[in-house]
Amino acid sequence: MKNRVYNFAAGPSMLADKVLNELHEEFFNYHDSGMAVMEMSHRSKGYLEIFEDAKARLKRIMEIPDDYEIFFMHGGATAQFAAVPMNLLKKKADYIITGNFSRKAAQEASKYGEVNIVYDGKENDYSRIPSSEELSLSEDADYVHLCSNNTIYGTEWKKYPDTGTIPLIADMSSDILSRRIDVSDFGLIYAGAQKNIGIAGIAVVIIRKDLIIEADPMTPQIMDYALTLKNDSMLNTPSTYAIYVLGKVLKWIEEVGGIKEIERRNIEKAGLLYDYLDSQSFYQPHAEKDSRSLMNVTFRTANEELDAKFVSETAKLGLCNLKGHRLVKGIRASIYNAMPIEGVKKLVEFMDEFARENG
Ligand SMILES: *Cc1c(COP(=O)(O)O)cnc(C)c1O
């Protein structure tokens, strides 16, 4: 494909060329139906095949055990900030705050019940993930909530806390399918699709069946897990095209060698950036070493003027959207699954040049 840039945006973000090509090929006439996917009834046989295929691929790739359900829900990850407590918070829930999105999740949950903040990384500017010893978990919480990868700050959990019989709930919006995880460590996983697994419009929810219990009576139908199960994620019209794109991304993951190969690539890509960052002193990484994200690499130069110059010069070279989030400033390279290693190599080369010219 011509004139494509390397898009380092935090989300919505890049899709693999292979995925875009398939969407393009099938755009006007999906499998001889004479229709575009976005024109198809969600109840039609053709569309139901797309839907079931996406679910089956996700189950296969993530090795989701049989005692879990997969939902495709509306409202992105943000809707799940409310859906999780409305369905599961009966008395009290523990929230671990390692960045902006986990803070938002806790704020939303506090509308529906008692929220116990068991850790807040504010004083280290969310530059690291806490150890288990730093978490004062309750013994009687309905669940423990964390954010697996902190998109804005560039930190990621390497080892999840052991919460015993208390269900662990993770927002994996920015690192789902980036590395192998054991789904059975979690009671519930949710993720907005537009960062690592598709486009905006759906959240994927993976929930252990015993956690599908009676929701708070005020829960909107569309956020009710039991009703979502009963209607197989089609209580109303689902985001048909976003689910189709998810299926294409999952197909691509299987074709390149599954999650193991994706993880290998992600370690290699992030390694190039972190090795370079560790070899010099012009740029300062934001995240502490043992908490570094494979997906969002955050760093800064000596001042904001140089950061801005970096961002504008990279954009001219087709390395786009490297500006850091306003909460952290500096520079952020989001290198999700679809970012080719060539893009990262080009970025590292430029970083070195820029450091020589401006150091
Ligand atoms: C982007 C993001 C969100 C918000 O996702 P929406 O789908 O826009 O609601 C939540 N959590 C994390 C970790 C994110 O990266």
Side-chain angles (χ1 to χ4, degrees):
M1 275 183 236
K2 279 191 206 146
N3 303 328
R4 294 265 298 156
V5 297
Y6 291 113
N7 181 4
F8 290 89
S13 45
M14 281 187 85
L15 291 168
D17 282 1
K18 177 90 195 318
V19 169
L20 289 175
N21 257 322
E22 278 189 31
L23 299 177
H24 184 227
E25 275 163 21
E26 295 175 350
F27 188 79
F28 284 106
N29 185 358
Y30 178 78
H31 288 196
D32 285 329
S33 63
M35 274 185 228
V37 171
M38 57 185 88
E39 298 173 301
M40 292 166 69
S41 161
H42 58 294
R43 309 271 181 211
S44 66
K45 185 168 170 290
Y47 186 75
L48 288 174
E49 277 171 20
I50 293 173
F51 184 89
E52 290 307 328
D53 177 71
K55 255 170 72 166
R57 284 184 194 275
L58 187 68
K59 186 166 160 70
R60 209 155 55 221
I61 297 173
M62 290 184 76
E63 298 178 18
I64 300 173
D66 288 339
D67 58 334
Y68 285 74
E69 294 287 344
I70 298 168
F71 300 151
F72 301 134
M73 297 182 77
H74 296 283
T78 303
Q80 296 306 312
F81 294 170
V84 165
M86 292 193 106
N87 283 275
L88 298 174
L89 208 178
K90 303 301 170 193
K91 262 186 19 232
K92 175 168 81 174
D94 283 355
Y95 276 73
I96 305 172
I97 303 195
T98 51
N100 196 45
F101 289 114
S102 43
R103 191 173 42 75
K104 284 186 171 172
Q107 274 169 352
E108 187 75 352
S110 66
K111 295 180 189 167
Y112 307 107
E114 188 187 337
V115 165
N116 180 31
I117 306 291
V118 295
Y119 172 85
D120 188 336
K122 196 166 46 198
E123 72 271 21
N124 57 56
D125 200 14
Y126 303 109
S127 59
R128 64 183 188 86
I129 297 294
S131 66
S132 297
E133 294 74 57
E134 290 173 88
L135 308 173
S136 36
L137 298 176
S138 319
E139 267 160 30
D140 55 347
D142 294 309
Y143 59 85
V144 178
H145 180 282
L146 61 77
C147 178
S148 176
N149 181 72
N150 299 286
T151 323
I152 293 174
Y153 295 93
T155 61
E156 187 172 23
W157 289 81
K158 307 290 168 200
K159 188 175 174 293
Y160 297 105
D162 181 0
T163 57
T165 55
I166 297 177
L168 180 61
I169 296 185
D171 174 359
M172 289 197 188
S173 294
S174 52
D175 68 345
I176 189 168
L177 289 167
S178 67
R179 54 179 181 166
R180 284 167 293 176
I181 56 149
D182 189 344
V183 172
S184 64
D185 287 344
F186 299 89
L188 188 155
I189 293 169
Y190 65 90
Q194 69 274 18
K195 281 156 189 156
N196 221 9
I197 54 172
I199 58 172
I202 48 163
V204 168
V205 176
I206 302 163
I207 180 170
R208 211 174 60 215
K209 284 179 188 168
D210 64 292
L211 294 175
I212 305 173
I213 51 178
E214 204 176 314
D216 181 280
M218 287 303 288
T219 307
Q221 289 181 57
I222 201 68
M223 287 189 179
D224 184 314
Y225 292 147
L227 283 177
T228 304
L229 173 64
K230 193 163 164 234
N231 294 280
D232 196 9
S233 301
M234 293 203 192
L235 183 88
N236 70 339
T237 316
S239 296
T240 53
Y241 200 77
I243 294 166
Y244 164 67
V245 177
L246 169 71
K248 289 293 185 197
V249 171
L250 297 173
K251 179 166 175 275
W252 170 74
I253 291 176
E254 290 195 299
E255 284 166 359
V256 301
I259 197 120
K260 210 171 152 198
E261 170 60 14
I262 290 284
E263 179 178 14
R264 188 199 65 75
R265 291 180 184 192
N266 287 333
I267 291 171
E268 188 181 7
K269 285 186 293 180
L272 287 177
L273 274 162
Y274 289 124
D275 286 349
Y276 173 71
L277 285 170
D278 289 339
S279 72
Q280 53 78 55
S281 58
F282 179 79
Y283 306 96
Q284 288 81 51
H286 179 78
E288 288 187 17
K289 256 188 192 170
D290 59 359
S291 302
R292 286 170 167 176
S293 166
L294 289 180
M295 301 279 93
N296 311 94
V297 180
T298 46
F299 55 93
R300 56 176 70 81
T301 67
N303 61 61
E304 287 185 31
E305 289 71 45
L306 271 180
D307 290 341
K309 189 174 171 200
F310 181 99
V311 171
S312 87
E313 288 193 13
T314 44
K316 284 182 214 148
L317 297 171
L319 304 167
C320 296
N321 293 316
L322 282 156
K323 188 168 190 268
H325 188 276
R326 69 194 145 73
L327 289 173
V328 194
K329 303 205 175 77
I331 298 153
R332 170 176 55 175
S334 296
I335 50 170
Y336 299 118
N337 292 351
M339 172 61 68
I341 191 155
E342 292 75 25
V344 179
K345 284 186 178 158
K346 223 175 143 183
L347 175 61
V348 173
E349 265 167 46
F350 176 82
M351 285 170 72
D352 194 39
E353 242 171 71
F354 188 82
R356 280 172 214 284
E357 280 165 18
N358 297 279

